[in-house]
Amino acid sequence: MFEAIWDAAAPLPPEKKARIQPFFLETVGKAGDSALLRAWQTRLGAAASHRSPSIDYTADQASVVVAASGWDGFEQLARAGAVPFNTGRPEIMAAGVRLAPDAATKRRLTEAMFDLAHTKATRGGMGDNFEKSDFGHALAELSMQACDLNGFDRAVTMTAAPDSLRYALWRTRITGHAGVLATRIRNEASADDTRHVRGALEGYAPVVSIGYCAR
């Protein structure tokens, strides 16, 4: 798979390939195979990239709400779109699902996210469903992590790009056999920008770092 992903980077101009290389090596490193990482470092003539861990503000926000209002209050505030859910609601709710102490609470909050994704919301008086794709993305990631194929397929239909390579790779974490997408990874290579390679790396990273779901 890493061969296929790096083959997809081949058409990129040198400067763009140089920008994607640290992300590529970082993803290889998530496999926990030091020999594999060294082999790729030698091949690419580069050291592994070690980015500072990003601060998870959404988890902090979710924790503050739960501490102040409990899980019932968390859901009520989220449904109302009250502070802090007036911005980044899908992401904060997803953080709440991850923090939830039991399966029942996780299910309740997840269903609340699905409900809200289909609720007509307004932005500047437009009356559009502007959060729907964000909810879809957050729910697809949660479902992939939870090995919930039905939830994943349900969520992906709400995203802005349901047929994207990233979601196809995420789905293989549940179904197995990510390698079947190697040909697609190579065939869809583009010299225009790094999005295709980044999508492949983002899609394959969970398979590499946490493995396939039990079957």
Side-chain angles (χ1 to χ4, degrees), residues 35-63:
L36 177 67
L37 179 58
R38 283 195 303 272
W40 276 104
Q41 288 173 318
T42 301
R43 179 172 169 178
L44 301 182
S49 175
H50 297 286
R51 296 186 298 178
S52 300
S54 58
I55 299 172
D56 191 351
Y57 292 107
T58 58
D60 291 343
Q61 289 174 304
S63 295

Short mmCIF file of all heavy atoms in Angstrom, two decimals, residues 35-63:
data_model
loop_
_atom_site.label_atom_id
_atom_site.label_comp_id
_atom_site.label_asym_id
_atom_site.label_seq_id
_atom_site.Cartn_x
_atom_site.Cartn_y
_atom_site.Cartn_z
N ALA A 35 11.82 -1.22 11.03
CA ALA A 35 12.57 -1.61 9.83
C ALA A 35 11.92 -1.01 8.58
O ALA A 35 12.62 -0.54 7.67
CB ALA A 35 12.63 -3.13 9.72
N LEU A 36 10.59 -1.03 8.53
CA LEU A 36 9.88 -0.45 7.39
C LEU A 36 10.14 1.04 7.31
O LEU A 36 10.40 1.58 6.23
CB LEU A 36 8.38 -0.71 7.52
CG LEU A 36 7.48 -0.11 6.44
CD1 LEU A 36 7.75 -0.76 5.09
CD2 LEU A 36 6.01 -0.25 6.82
N LEU A 37 10.10 1.71 8.45
CA LEU A 37 10.34 3.15 8.46
C LEU A 37 11.76 3.47 8.02
O LEU A 37 11.97 4.38 7.20
CB LEU A 37 10.08 3.71 9.86
CG LEU A 37 10.31 5.22 10.03
CD1 LEU A 37 9.44 6.02 9.08
CD2 LEU A 37 10.04 5.63 11.48
N ARG A 38 12.73 2.73 8.51
CA ARG A 38 14.12 2.98 8.10
C ARG A 38 14.30 2.76 6.61
O ARG A 38 15.03 3.50 5.95
CB ARG A 38 15.07 2.06 8.89
CG ARG A 38 15.33 2.50 10.32
CD ARG A 38 16.55 1.79 10.89
NE ARG A 38 16.41 0.33 10.85
CZ ARG A 38 15.86 -0.40 11.81
NH1 ARG A 38 15.38 0.20 12.90
NH2 ARG A 38 15.77 -1.71 11.70
N ALA A 39 13.64 1.73 6.08
CA ALA A 39 13.75 1.46 4.65
C ALA A 39 13.23 2.63 3.83
O ALA A 39 13.85 3.02 2.82
CB ALA A 39 12.99 0.18 4.31
N TRP A 40 12.09 3.19 4.24
CA TRP A 40 11.54 4.32 3.50
C TRP A 40 12.38 5.58 3.71
O TRP A 40 12.55 6.38 2.77
CB TRP A 40 10.09 4.57 3.90
CG TRP A 40 9.14 3.70 3.14
CD1 TRP A 40 8.48 2.59 3.58
CD2 TRP A 40 8.76 3.86 1.77
NE1 TRP A 40 7.71 2.05 2.58
CE2 TRP A 40 7.85 2.80 1.46
CE3 TRP A 40 9.08 4.78 0.78
CZ2 TRP A 40 7.28 2.67 0.19
CZ3 TRP A 40 8.51 4.64 -0.48
CH2 TRP A 40 7.62 3.59 -0.77
N GLN A 41 12.91 5.77 4.90
CA GLN A 41 13.79 6.93 5.13
C GLN A 41 15.01 6.85 4.23
O GLN A 41 15.42 7.86 3.62
CB GLN A 41 14.23 6.96 6.60
CG GLN A 41 13.14 7.36 7.57
CD GLN A 41 13.59 7.21 9.01
OE1 GLN A 41 14.24 6.23 9.37
NE2 GLN A 41 13.24 8.17 9.85
N THR A 42 15.60 5.67 4.14
CA THR A 42 16.77 5.48 3.28
C THR A 42 16.41 5.72 1.82
O THR A 42 17.14 6.40 1.08
CB THR A 42 17.34 4.07 3.46
OG1 THR A 42 17.70 3.87 4.82
CG2 THR A 42 18.55 3.85 2.57
N ARG A 43 15.29 5.18 1.42
CA ARG A 43 14.86 5.30 0.03
C ARG A 43 14.60 6.75 -0.35
O ARG A 43 14.96 7.19 -1.45
CB ARG A 43 13.60 4.47 -0.17
CG ARG A 43 13.02 4.53 -1.57
CD ARG A 43 11.91 3.52 -1.70
NE ARG A 43 11.13 3.69 -2.91
CZ ARG A 43 10.13 2.89 -3.26
NH1 ARG A 43 9.80 1.87 -2.49
NH2 ARG A 43 9.46 3.11 -4.38
N LEU A 44 14.00 7.50 0.57
CA LEU A 44 13.65 8.89 0.27
C LEU A 44 14.74 9.87 0.68
O LEU A 44 14.64 11.06 0.39
CB LEU A 44 12.33 9.26 0.96
CG LEU A 44 11.12 8.40 0.58
CD1 LEU A 44 9.87 8.90 1.29
CD2 LEU A 44 10.90 8.37 -0.93
N GLY A 45 15.75 9.38 1.38
CA GLY A 45 16.83 10.24 1.82
C GLY A 45 16.38 11.29 2.79
O GLY A 45 16.74 12.47 2.70
N ALA A 46 15.53 10.87 3.75
CA ALA A 46 14.96 11.84 4.70
C ALA A 46 14.76 11.17 6.05
O ALA A 46 14.63 9.96 6.15
CB ALA A 46 13.63 12.37 4.19
N ALA A 47 14.73 11.99 7.08
CA ALA A 47 14.42 11.51 8.42
C ALA A 47 12.92 11.56 8.63
O ALA A 47 12.21 12.29 7.94
CB ALA A 47 15.13 12.39 9.46
N ALA A 48 12.46 10.78 9.59
CA ALA A 48 11.03 10.80 9.90
C ALA A 48 10.62 12.16 10.43
O ALA A 48 11.38 12.83 11.13
CB ALA A 48 10.71 9.72 10.93
N SER A 49 9.43 12.56 10.08
CA SER A 49 8.89 13.83 10.55
C SER A 49 8.22 13.63 11.91
O SER A 49 7.49 12.66 12.10
CB SER A 49 7.89 14.38 9.55
OG SER A 49 7.27 15.54 10.04
N HIS A 50 8.49 14.52 12.82
CA HIS A 50 7.86 14.45 14.14
C HIS A 50 7.16 15.78 14.41
O HIS A 50 7.75 16.72 14.93
CB HIS A 50 8.90 14.17 15.24
CG HIS A 50 9.58 12.84 15.07
ND1 HIS A 50 8.96 11.64 15.34
CD2 HIS A 50 10.83 12.54 14.63
CE1 HIS A 50 9.80 10.64 15.10
NE2 HIS A 50 10.92 11.16 14.66
N ARG A 51 5.92 15.86 14.02
CA ARG A 51 5.16 17.08 14.25
C ARG A 51 4.67 17.12 15.68
O ARG A 51 4.39 16.09 16.30
CB ARG A 51 3.96 17.15 13.30
CG ARG A 51 4.34 17.25 11.84
CD ARG A 51 3.12 17.46 10.97
NE ARG A 51 2.18 16.37 11.04
CZ ARG A 51 1.02 16.33 10.40
NH1 ARG A 51 0.67 17.36 9.66
NH2 ARG A 51 0.22 15.30 10.49
N SER A 52 4.59 18.33 16.22
CA SER A 52 4.04 18.47 17.57
C SER A 52 2.59 18.05 17.57
O SER A 52 1.84 18.41 16.65
CB SER A 52 4.16 19.93 18.04
OG SER A 52 5.50 20.34 18.06
N PRO A 53 2.16 17.27 18.57
CA PRO A 53 0.76 16.85 18.60
C PRO A 53 -0.17 18.06 18.62
O PRO A 53 0.09 19.04 19.33
CB PRO A 53 0.66 16.06 19.92
CG PRO A 53 2.07 15.67 20.23
CD PRO A 53 2.93 16.77 19.71
N SER A 54 -1.21 18.00 17.84
CA SER A 54 -2.15 19.12 17.81
C SER A 54 -2.99 19.12 19.08
O SER A 54 -3.25 18.06 19.67
CB SER A 54 -3.07 19.02 16.58
OG SER A 54 -3.75 17.78 16.60
N ILE A 55 -3.38 20.29 19.50
CA ILE A 55 -4.19 20.42 20.71
C ILE A 55 -5.64 20.14 20.35
O ILE A 55 -6.18 20.72 19.40
CB ILE A 55 -4.05 21.83 21.31
CG1 ILE A 55 -2.59 22.09 21.69
CG2 ILE A 55 -4.95 21.98 22.53
CD1 ILE A 55 -2.32 23.53 22.13
N ASP A 56 -6.27 19.23 21.08
CA ASP A 56 -7.66 18.86 20.79
C ASP A 56 -8.60 19.79 21.55
O ASP A 56 -9.05 19.47 22.64
CB ASP A 56 -7.89 17.40 21.18
CG ASP A 56 -9.23 16.89 20.66
OD1 ASP A 56 -10.02 17.71 20.17
OD2 ASP A 56 -9.48 15.67 20.75
N TYR A 57 -8.87 20.93 20.94
CA TYR A 57 -9.74 21.91 21.60
C TYR A 57 -11.16 21.39 21.75
O TYR A 57 -11.86 21.73 22.71
CB TYR A 57 -9.75 23.22 20.80
CG TYR A 57 -8.43 23.96 20.82
CD1 TYR A 57 -7.61 23.99 19.70
CD2 TYR A 57 -8.00 24.62 21.97
CE1 TYR A 57 -6.40 24.66 19.72
CE2 TYR A 57 -6.79 25.30 21.99
CZ TYR A 57 -5.99 25.32 20.87
OH TYR A 57 -4.79 25.97 20.89
N THR A 58 -11.61 20.57 20.80
CA THR A 58 -12.98 20.06 20.88
C THR A 58 -13.17 19.17 22.10
O THR A 58 -14.22 19.20 22.74
CB THR A 58 -13.38 19.30 19.60
OG1 THR A 58 -12.47 18.21 19.40
CG2 THR A 58 -13.35 20.22 18.40
N ALA A 59 -12.17 18.36 22.41
CA ALA A 59 -12.26 17.51 23.60
C ALA A 59 -12.31 18.36 24.86
O ALA A 59 -13.05 18.06 25.80
CB ALA A 59 -11.08 16.55 23.66
N ASP A 60 -11.52 19.43 24.88
CA ASP A 60 -11.54 20.34 26.02
C ASP A 60 -12.91 20.99 26.18
O ASP A 60 -13.45 21.08 27.30
CB ASP A 60 -10.48 21.44 25.87
CG ASP A 60 -9.06 20.90 25.98
OD1 ASP A 60 -8.89 19.78 26.51
OD2 ASP A 60 -8.12 21.60 25.55
N GLN A 61 -13.49 21.43 25.05
CA GLN A 61 -14.81 22.06 25.11
C GLN A 61 -15.87 21.08 25.57
O GLN A 61 -16.72 21.41 26.40
CB GLN A 61 -15.17 22.62 23.73
CG GLN A 61 -14.36 23.84 23.32
CD GLN A 61 -14.65 24.26 21.90
OE1 GLN A 61 -14.53 23.47 20.95
NE2 GLN A 61 -15.04 25.51 21.71
N ALA A 62 -15.82 19.86 25.05
CA ALA A 62 -16.79 18.84 25.45
C ALA A 62 -16.67 18.54 26.94
O ALA A 62 -17.68 18.43 27.65
CB ALA A 62 -16.59 17.57 24.63
N SER A 63 -15.46 18.44 27.43
CA SER A 63 -15.23 18.14 28.85
C SER A 63 -15.80 19.23 29.74
O SER A 63 -16.39 18.95 30.79
CB SER A 63 -13.73 17.98 29.12
OG SER A 63 -13.21 16.88 28.44
#
